[in-house]
Amino acid sequence: WDIDCSLYLAEETSVTANYTARTAAGDLLIKMGEWFNEKAVDGLFGFTKSLFPDDGSLWRSQESALFLFTMLLSDFQDLNKTIPDAVASAYLELVDFTINKPDEPLLRARGYLVAGIIGRSFQTPLALLDRMVHAITNEESEVVQVACIKAVEGLINSGRVGADRQVPIITAIQSYMNEKDPAEMEEADELLVVLAETLRSTISLDTKIALSSEIQSTDLLFMLAKLGASNFQVTMIISEAFEDIVASLSDSASFSALCARTLPTLTGAFDVASVTEDNPLVTVATELLVVLAENGSEPLPAGFVATIFPKLNRLLMESEEGEVLRPGSEIVKWVLSHDHQQVFNWQDANGRSGLEVCLHIIDRLLGPSIEDNSASEVGGLAAELVEKAGQERLGPFLPQLLQAVANRLASAQAAAFIQSLILVFARLSLNGAQDVVEFLSQIQINGDSGLQIVMAKWLENSVSFAGYDEIRQNVIALSKLYALNDSRLAQIQVKGDLIVGADDGKIKTRSRAKQNPD
């Protein structure tokens, strides 16, 4: 534990595969707590009390007894069971004894963890919280430092920490991270998880801290995202934290300030890595940009498109990775949804308009070189572009775009990709069902009628659509097509249900099956 504090945290949170006698003892005590309730607490406290105080020789037994208490109390809290106030107060006295043992870092660490878990259910002195925050920065033992970080997170999540403690906690975490070797932190999975969880909880006390240029809360989030880019749990926590920040700062002024703080860092990730390789950092940065774009203000801040589109366009035109292409397509879709005028008014370095850039992106994603799963968001992007640009702006490009969508739909196999492409025609059918039928009936796909190919695929896959809005749009679009009473639609051949032949009681041989097929 002294060498690897991440292992200490892993065993503390029972996420390790190393099932030790210590862990088994905790599980046994938890079971006793389920059987005997408060009697288990009283018995454990009676034994623990006999170990304090001492001359220092019993510190291992003291630490172990307090470990068992954290396991038991944690299970009690999960089951909404309480312990007597007198017992909680008595344990806080033991905490005060343990955290003042300068020669026993593991005992001090245990004391802070006990304080943190008691504080979730009972009011603990503010001085104890301040001491935890101070220890994050000033403790010599790293095990004690990470124990304090873990304890503080529990107190925040229980509503025991006021917003006035937010800045000192973030500053302490920043100081701790600054002292660590980034290469070592990349390997410390559980440490990154604890840091990310604590930082998320601390920022949630008042998300306006994300707008401060003096307190680098979002910079710390992104640093953890970079260090833990290959760790799914870390990236998920960071994404959720960033989503909470963006959602709570949705007014135009706050969102604009947030973009000014975060966009340079996020887009900078595309500079330091090759977008043609499978790079976790690029994936994380793209996913965080989706959060920003999806929750953006309307209209978006001035310069938003000019800031992200050059690098985003390069990403979508060069990358082969689905983990990048899917969120990248979503970003363009949400930007079009919130502020299509800014997209259409923007020009790239070669003088191409934003509309032309979007058409090139869609054309590549619909091409045969991109796998179905990688291009599964292109349908939503194409539908948004058609809706926002309209016939006036798209002109001759509209039928070409719809032809490309229909062609790719004919060969598509992945359910999500098929749904994405069908929704292009579904959204058009909401306001122009007759125009959709006319267009599809005029095109040919592999020698067959476009109307037959698209409608057959549409009806075959409608049952597997996912998403409330998507299902709603699909049902309304199909009802509008049905209401046309168009003879061409009536002629569409679709896969029906199997009709089993009547059973005459005879054994069904192969020859009889051929004579009377189902």
Side-chain angles (χ1 to χ4, degrees):
W1 291 343
D2 287 334
I3 298 170
D4 186 357
C5 65
S6 191
L7 176 62
Y8 175 77
L9 291 170
E11 297 191 357
E12 189 63 33
T13 52
S14 302
V15 296
T16 175
N18 184 23
Y19 193 74
T20 61
R22 179 183 175 92
T23 311
D27 288 344
L28 175 59
L29 190 61
I30 286 171
K31 185 59 69 175
M32 292 173 68
E34 293 173 1
W35 291 335
F36 306 122
N37 295 312
E38 283 188 16
K39 289 182 180 178
V41 178
D42 293 339
L44 177 62
F45 176 65
F47 173 73
T48 304
K49 189 169 57 172
S50 68
L51 301 173
F52 293 85
D54 76 310
D55 57 2
S57 61
L58 294 177
W59 76 265
R60 289 179 183 274
S61 298
Q62 293 168 345
E63 194 277 338
S64 301
L66 292 176
F67 163 76
L68 292 174
F69 177 69
T70 60
M71 296 286 283
L72 183 60
L73 183 54
S74 177
D75 187 66
F76 269 42
Q77 290 172 349
D78 290 342
L79 299 173
N80 294 317
K81 295 196 293 189
T82 60
I83 64 171
D85 290 358
V87 173
S89 298
Y91 267 106
L92 284 175
E93 291 179 10
L94 299 183
V95 166
D96 187 57
F97 173 83
T98 57
I99 63 177
N100 286 296
K101 299 289 283 183
D103 299 327
E104 308 299 345
L106 293 177
L107 184 59
R108 291 203 305 280
R110 177 59 52 198
Y112 284 119
L113 287 170
V114 171
I117 200 162
I118 292 176
R120 297 178 190 181
S121 306
F122 300 90
Q123 192 63 49
T124 50
L126 284 176
L128 186 54
L129 170 63
D130 292 338
R131 184 161 177 178
M132 287 181 190
V133 176
H134 182 265
I136 294 172
T137 305
N138 296 285
E139 255 288 348
E140 292 182 3
S141 168
E142 191 175 1
V143 169
V144 180
Q145 289 178 302
V146 298
C148 289
I149 293 171
K150 180 71 178 170
V152 166
E153 186 238 342
L155 292 174
I156 295 173
N157 290 342
S158 303
R160 302 287 177 177
V161 179
D164 59 320
R165 296 299 196 278
Q166 183 184 48
V167 171
I169 294 172
I170 293 176
T171 304
I173 293 173
Q174 181 179 2
S175 176
Y176 170 79
M177 289 176 60
N178 288 343
E179 294 296 320
K180 291 282 290 179
D181 180 357
E184 289 182 9
M185 289 187 71
E186 281 186 31
E187 303 298 321
D189 286 346
E190 196 56 35
L191 174 60
L192 292 174
V193 169
V194 169
L195 285 168
E197 287 178 334
T198 306
L199 192 57
R200 175 180 63 179
S201 299
T202 308
I203 291 173
S204 70
L205 292 171
D206 183 3
T207 52
K208 287 188 175 63
I209 193 72
L211 304 180
S212 171
S213 58
E214 298 176 0
I215 307 300
Q216 300 175 340
S217 55
T218 53
D219 291 343
L220 290 178
L221 271 183
F222 298 153
M223 176 58 72
L224 287 171
K226 178 181 177 181
L227 295 172
S230 300
N231 184 315
F232 173 75
Q233 191 176 359
V234 172
T235 56
M236 185 177 67
I237 294 167
I238 299 298
S239 293
E240 290 174 352
F242 194 51
E243 192 170 341
D244 292 341
I245 293 170
V246 177
S248 64
L249 301 174
S250 56
D251 62 281
S252 295
S254 297
F255 184 77
S256 181
L258 182 64
C259 288
R261 290 274 305 135
T262 58
L263 279 180
T265 305
L266 291 177
T267 56
F270 304 142
D271 294 330
V272 298
S274 172
V275 297
T276 57
E277 298 173 1
D278 180 12
N279 190 299
L281 179 59
V282 173
T283 304
V284 172
T286 312
E287 289 173 347
L288 292 176
L289 266 178
V290 173
V291 173
L292 201 61
E294 182 177 356
N295 296 279
S297 59
E298 293 187 12
L300 291 168
F304 187 93
V305 171
T307 301
I308 71 168
F309 256 54
K311 295 175 182 177
L312 187 60
N313 177 45
R314 173 172 160 256
L315 192 72
L316 291 170
M317 294 303 292
E318 295 180 12
S319 177
E320 302 287 340
E321 299 298 326
E323 298 296 324
V324 170
L325 294 177
R326 285 191 296 273
S329 304
E330 276 196 276
I331 295 169
V332 181
K333 179 187 75 174
W334 288 119
V335 172
L336 280 169
S337 173
H338 292 312
D339 195 351
H340 62 277
Q341 291 291 354
Q342 190 175 157
V343 176
F344 298 152
N345 292 335
W346 171 75
Q347 288 188 333
D348 70 2
N350 298 318
R352 296 184 304 174
S353 68
L355 175 60
E356 191 177 349
V357 168
C358 291
L359 287 169
H360 278 285
I361 290 170
I362 293 170
D363 181 64
R364 180 184 185 240
L365 295 178
L366 289 174
S369 63
I370 304 297
E371 296 178 353
D372 284 10
N373 287 326
S374 299
S376 60
E377 294 295 335
V378 69
L381 168 56
E384 198 68 44
L385 182 65
V386 169
E387 193 173 289
K388 290 296 192 288
Q391 175 70 49
E392 304 77 24
R393 276 198 179 93
L394 286 171
F397 293 115
L398 179 58
Q400 294 175 26
L401 173 60
L402 296 179
Q403 173 85 56
V405 172
N407 288 342
R408 188 63 197 267
L409 179 59
S411 62
Q413 298 296 323
F417 188 39
I418 291 171
Q419 173 178 318
S420 169
L421 296 176
I422 287 173
L423 282 172
V424 176
F425 296 105
R427 287 174 66 170
L428 285 172
S429 299
L430 296 176
N431 296 313
Q434 189 66 58
D435 294 336
V436 171
V437 173
E438 292 293 342
F439 171 77
L440 291 175
S441 63
Q442 293 169 11
I443 66 172
Q444 294 285 309
I445 301 174
N446 300 327
D448 293 319
S449 163
L451 188 63
Q452 167 66 42
I453 297 293
V454 171
M455 291 307 302
K457 200 102 175 191
W458 188 341
L459 294 167
E460 184 183 341
N461 289 276
S462 282
V463 68
S464 60
F465 270 33
Y468 175 80
D469 284 336
E470 290 80 358
I471 293 172
R472 180 179 61 82
Q473 289 174 1
N474 179 54
V475 170
I476 295 173
L478 286 175
S479 66
K480 293 203 176 236
L481 288 169
Y482 183 75
L484 293 175
N485 290 318
D486 193 304
S487 59
R488 291 168 295 185
L489 289 172
Q491 296 168 4
I492 299 295
Q493 295 290 316
V494 296
K495 292 181 180 179
D497 294 325
L498 179 67
I499 300 174
V500 181
D503 185 4
D504 56 5
K506 297 179 180 179
I507 296 173
K508 198 163 189 177
T509 62
R510 289 182 184 176
S511 59
R512 285 200 182 114
K514 287 181 179 179
Q515 293 169 6
N516 300 293
D518 291 331

